[in-house]
Amino acid sequence: MNQESRADEEFISALYAEHRSALLRYVMKTGRADPCAAEDLVQETFLRAWRHAARLRHTPGNVRPWLVTVARNLVIDASRARSVRPLETEFSAESAEQTVPVPDSTNEVLDTHCMAGVLAELSPVHREVLIHLHCLDRSIADTARSIGVPSGTVKSRNYYALRELRGLAGHLDFSG
């Protein structure tokens, strides 16, 4: 490390020790930032000061106003960035416990799709009975009245339709 770099490093260390607290208060007051974000902005201010250390070292009276100006510009930039980005949220164990899991309906959708295909393969009279009893949730008596057949016929058609369904779609449970 050459003497110029060492001098810059010592200068920035002295600046940091002298001005860090004041800059942190300034950033928190003007930027309404949380302490971590304010600390990041102050660190960025001193990083920029370090990049311009040679120039700043030769103008000691103008250092604090320069630091405040840089910090103010960083606060403005951060505020603008926050205004165009969606709000960031913290993820924690507590927030994970408060979230409500969304049920996965993929299997139900696939079963419904398969069911529609299988129903299309049934005879119209069997399909009609199944729809009335299991989809529309009607009683045997209501189904019999609705389609104009005796209750025994509805029971028989339901039995044979379910048996045929089980054979066509063995992996689905349509037992009701």
Side-chain angles (χ1 to χ4, degrees):
M1 181 181 284
N2 64 24
Q3 192 167 354
E4 180 86 14
S5 296
R6 198 171 296 119
D8 288 348
E9 196 171 303
E10 288 172 8
F11 174 72
I12 294 300
S13 294
L15 274 183
Y16 186 81
E18 182 180 349
H19 300 287
R20 179 196 169 275
S21 298
L23 278 177
L24 191 56
R25 282 191 305 275
Y26 172 78
V27 168
M28 287 192 58
K29 180 181 172 187
T30 59
R32 294 178 201 84
D34 64 275
C36 293
E39 185 65 43
D40 287 345
L41 293 173
V42 170
Q43 291 295 326
E44 179 65 26
T45 301
F46 282 104
L47 177 65
R48 292 183 184 191
W50 177 66
R51 289 180 184 153
H52 300 285
R55 186 171 41 136
L56 290 173
R57 205 166 10 113
H58 299 295
T59 56
N62 295 332
V63 173
R64 188 166 188 145
W66 187 90
L67 289 171
V68 170
T69 300
V70 169
R72 181 178 56 90
N73 290 340
L74 289 171
V75 166
I76 291 169
D77 290 346
S79 175
R80 287 178 182 159
R82 275 193 311 272
S83 70
V84 296
R85 287 190 1 220
L87 182 65
E88 295 178 5
T89 58
E90 286 290 322
F91 182 79
S92 65
E94 294 83 29
S95 66
E97 290 174 4
Q98 294 172 357
T99 58
V100 178
V102 177
D104 182 13
S105 60
T106 305
N107 289 336
E108 288 83 15
V109 170
L110 289 173
D111 286 349
T112 302
H113 181 71
C114 290
M115 178 68 163
V118 171
L119 279 174
E121 294 183 33
L122 292 177
S123 67
V125 293
H126 286 150
R127 183 175 38 241
E128 181 180 38
V129 167
L130 287 180
I131 289 172
H132 279 273
L133 290 175
H134 301 285
C135 296
L136 301 176
D137 202 27
R138 292 188 175 156
S139 68
I140 292 175
D142 289 340
T143 300
R145 266 192 305 280
S146 179
I147 61 176
V149 297
S151 295
T153 304
V154 171
K155 289 179 190 178
S156 175
R157 287 180 184 174
N158 182 51
Y159 171 79
Y160 287 110
L162 288 175
R163 195 169 104 181
E164 190 176 349
L165 269 180
R166 285 187 192 102
L168 292 171
H171 70 284
L172 298 174
D173 180 22
F174 298 110
S175 57

